[in-house]
Amino acid sequence: WIGKIIASPGAVLSKMMEIVDQQIRELKKLWKNKRLLMHQGLNLAMIVFSALMIWKGLMFITKSESPVVVVLSGSMEPAFQRGDILFLNNQDNPIRVGEVVVFKIKDRDIPIVHRVMKVHEKKDGSVELLTKGDNNRVDDRGLYAPGQLWLEREDILGRAIGTIRYVGMVTIILNDYPALKYVLVGIMGLFVLTNKEES
């Protein structure tokens, strides 16, 4: 039993090398057959454009520029853990105290997921919001842009309407190790290009 465990790293490495060799052979064959190369390239393009169309469709349906986000910190624990995926909706319904929203601060790239603590509705119909992370001691005024005391409705990307636990850890790992992201994208592209359709 222990011998199998000790022998398995070599077997795994051998199998991986066999797969790499097979992919290289397929790529060489593909390079010689320009028609098949173009066909596989179009397949890859179709996959990429399909993903973009799905994303744009979600943006249209949810009215959010970012309909799916990953929780990057522990500021919302225990409600949301680092690595949770949140689904957002940015319909025009009024935002209420207690709702979890995702907002963007001016001059910052990464959106923030926090809970609405206070809502001020003005006579002209505009709304001001104050947010706070469930796991934070103080409100978010220290995170807002300099001189900003409240969020406005335009700052909100959407409210959380659903979650999938921990699946977003893949995104966090790929952001922490950018080289790994390019390697994985390259490998996936290679597999799409060298994949043969069964006749």
Side-chain angles (χ1 to χ4, degrees):
W1 181 76
I2 294 176
K4 287 182 180 178
I5 293 174
I6 293 171
S8 66
V12 169
L13 186 60
S14 174
K15 185 67 174 169
M16 286 179 64
M17 291 306 295
E18 182 182 318
I19 291 171
V20 169
D21 287 342
Q22 179 184 357
Q23 291 301 316
I24 290 171
R25 282 193 306 273
E26 291 296 326
L27 203 53
K28 286 179 181 177
K29 284 183 198 173
L30 191 62
W31 190 252
K32 290 177 183 174
N33 186 346
K34 300 299 183 197
R35 185 174 178 198
L36 184 59
L37 177 65
M38 190 169 76
H39 180 263
Q40 294 298 79
L42 288 173
N43 278 344
L44 179 61
M46 192 170 64
I47 290 169
V48 170
F49 288 125
S50 295
L52 287 173
M53 286 190 324
I54 290 169
W55 184 258
K56 289 294 186 182
L58 284 173
M59 288 174 64
F60 177 75
I61 291 167
T62 64
K63 295 186 179 179
S64 175
E65 70 181 65
S66 188
V68 179
V69 296
V70 176
V71 178
L72 298 177
S73 74
S75 66
M76 279 301 292
E77 291 178 358
F80 301 112
Q81 307 293 322
R82 187 170 190 257
D84 289 355
I85 290 182
L86 300 181
F87 298 96
L88 306 182
N89 190 343
N90 200 22
Q91 302 295 333
D92 295 330
N93 305 341
I95 295 175
R96 300 290 177 218
V97 171
E99 288 187 303
V100 176
V101 295
V102 176
F103 59 92
K104 200 165 188 179
I105 303 296
K106 293 169 187 71
D107 301 325
R108 282 185 147 178
D109 294 333
I110 299 174
I112 300 170
V113 179
H114 281 175
R115 192 176 304 278
V116 176
M117 300 305 294
K118 291 183 182 175
V119 177
H120 287 183
E121 295 180 18
K122 296 183 175 180
K123 291 181 182 178
D124 63 0
S126 63
V127 175
E128 292 180 327
L129 308 165
L130 180 65
T131 57
K132 176 185 170 295
D134 290 356
N135 202 22
N136 294 349
R137 293 175 185 245
V138 295
D139 62 42
D140 290 340
R141 286 191 171 129
L143 298 175
Y144 299 162
Q148 184 180 9
L149 297 177
W150 302 90
L151 292 175
E152 296 179 5
R153 185 62 177 95
E154 303 84 55
D155 299 322
I156 305 298
L157 296 178
R159 68 188 90 207
I161 58 169
T163 183
I164 299 178
R165 296 288 186 185
Y166 305 115
V167 176
M169 285 306 287
V170 173
T171 302
I172 292 173
I173 292 167
L174 292 178
N175 283 335
D176 289 347
Y177 304 100
L180 182 62
K181 183 188 322 184
Y182 297 117
V183 167
L184 285 178
V185 168
I187 289 171
M188 287 190 295
L190 180 67
F191 275 106
V192 169
L193 283 174
T194 58
N195 182 30
K196 292 182 181 176
E197 292 183 10
E198 297 296 326
S199 301

